[in-house]
Amino acid sequence: MTPRDTVVRILLCDDHAVVRAGLLALLGSTPDIEVVGEAGSGEEAVAMAGKLRPDVVLMDLQLGAGIDGVEATRRIASPDVHVLVLTTYDTDADITRAIEAGATGYLLKAERPEELFTAIHSAAQGRTALSAPVASRVMDRMRGTGTPTLTDRETDILGQLSRGLGNREIARALFISEATVKTHLGRIYAKLGVDTRAGAVAVAKERRLLP
């Protein structure tokens, strides 16, 4: 019997019912994957994983109120229950936290169904499953090439950002226009691989880019 002939028991964890319904329909289309439960919160996922003992837990990172996907992963991951993160977030900080918490794999929701199916079977066997963009980030970090170079102005703006200042306040503090702040923020986001202010600060702290 090949690994693909083995039915993999899955627990879904996502706080959006529509997303869970979509995944349920998608996974139900393949005979070698069986969804044994659905959880809408981290706490629920932990409880259900302990009761159902699935082969793989498909875990979102952002779960609304309560514990997040990283903490849920930390409580669930074991030699018998593997956690495969399925999320839209691919910042270095998110990837690092999830892997350190015990996630077997990290997949982006933009992946094709075939890639998801393959990742699920890999995770069930305890083998690492990473989306291509995530694998590239991990390799860059291992090679030491993942740290971007920020200009002095970008570093100044990032510092103001870490203090919780808005664009207008940053512009006043640095004696530049608000439009200039927005331009620099766009470049900072691109260099750090994020799309939010909070993500930029988190990655900057992780990579020690802030003074």
Side-chain angles (χ1 to χ4, degrees):
M1 179 178 291
T2 64
R4 291 292 293 187
D5 294 324
T6 304
V7 175
V8 179
R9 301 172 69 251
I10 296 289
L11 170 64
L12 302 178
C13 181
D14 195 295
D15 62 334
H16 292 98
V18 172
V19 173
R20 294 199 307 274
L23 285 171
L24 189 61
L26 176 63
L27 298 175
S29 68
T30 178
D32 50 10
I33 295 176
E34 176 189 4
V35 178
V36 297
E38 301 176 50
S41 69
E43 288 84 354
E44 190 176 8
V46 172
M48 293 182 72
K51 179 180 179 180
L52 299 173
R53 305 303 295 173
D55 299 308
V56 176
V57 178
L58 275 185
M59 179 71 70
D60 192 11
L61 289 184
Q62 301 297 327
L63 298 174
I67 64 174
D68 64 6
V70 171
E71 180 57 30
T73 295
R74 183 174 289 109
R75 299 184 190 184
I76 292 172
S78 72
D80 298 319
V81 180
H82 303 286
V83 178
L84 175 59
V85 171
L86 183 63
T87 183
T88 57
Y89 303 92
D90 66 343
T91 68
D92 286 358
D94 287 325
I95 295 167
T96 299
R97 290 177 62 231
I99 293 176
E100 288 179 346
T104 300
Y106 197 108
L107 214 64
L108 300 180
K109 289 181 177 178
E111 291 291 352
R112 294 173 301 171
E114 294 77 12
E115 297 294 336
L116 173 60
F117 299 155
T118 298
I120 286 174
H121 281 276
S122 294
Q125 297 169 54
R127 292 190 285 111
T128 301
L130 301 173
S131 285
V134 175
S136 294
R137 286 180 179 275
V138 172
M139 290 304 294
D140 283 344
R141 288 175 61 84
M142 291 179 66
R143 296 188 188 107
T145 60
T147 302
T149 301
L150 300 178
T151 65
D152 290 341
R153 178 59 79 190
E154 289 167 350
T155 300
D156 290 340
I157 290 178
L158 199 52
Q160 299 296 325
L161 205 63
S162 69
R163 296 173 53 200
L165 300 185
N167 290 358
R168 183 174 300 178
E169 295 171 307
I170 294 175
R172 289 175 178 171
L174 299 179
F175 302 102
I176 56 179
S177 70
E178 195 169 344
T180 299
V181 172
K182 292 180 180 179
T183 297
H184 282 300
L185 282 177
R187 291 171 182 166
I188 291 171
Y189 290 173
K191 289 182 178 181
L192 299 185
V194 301
D195 53 14
T196 65
R197 304 167 78 87
V201 173
V203 172
K205 289 181 177 179
E206 176 196 352
R207 299 186 182 182
R208 299 180 181 178
L209 297 176
L210 291 172

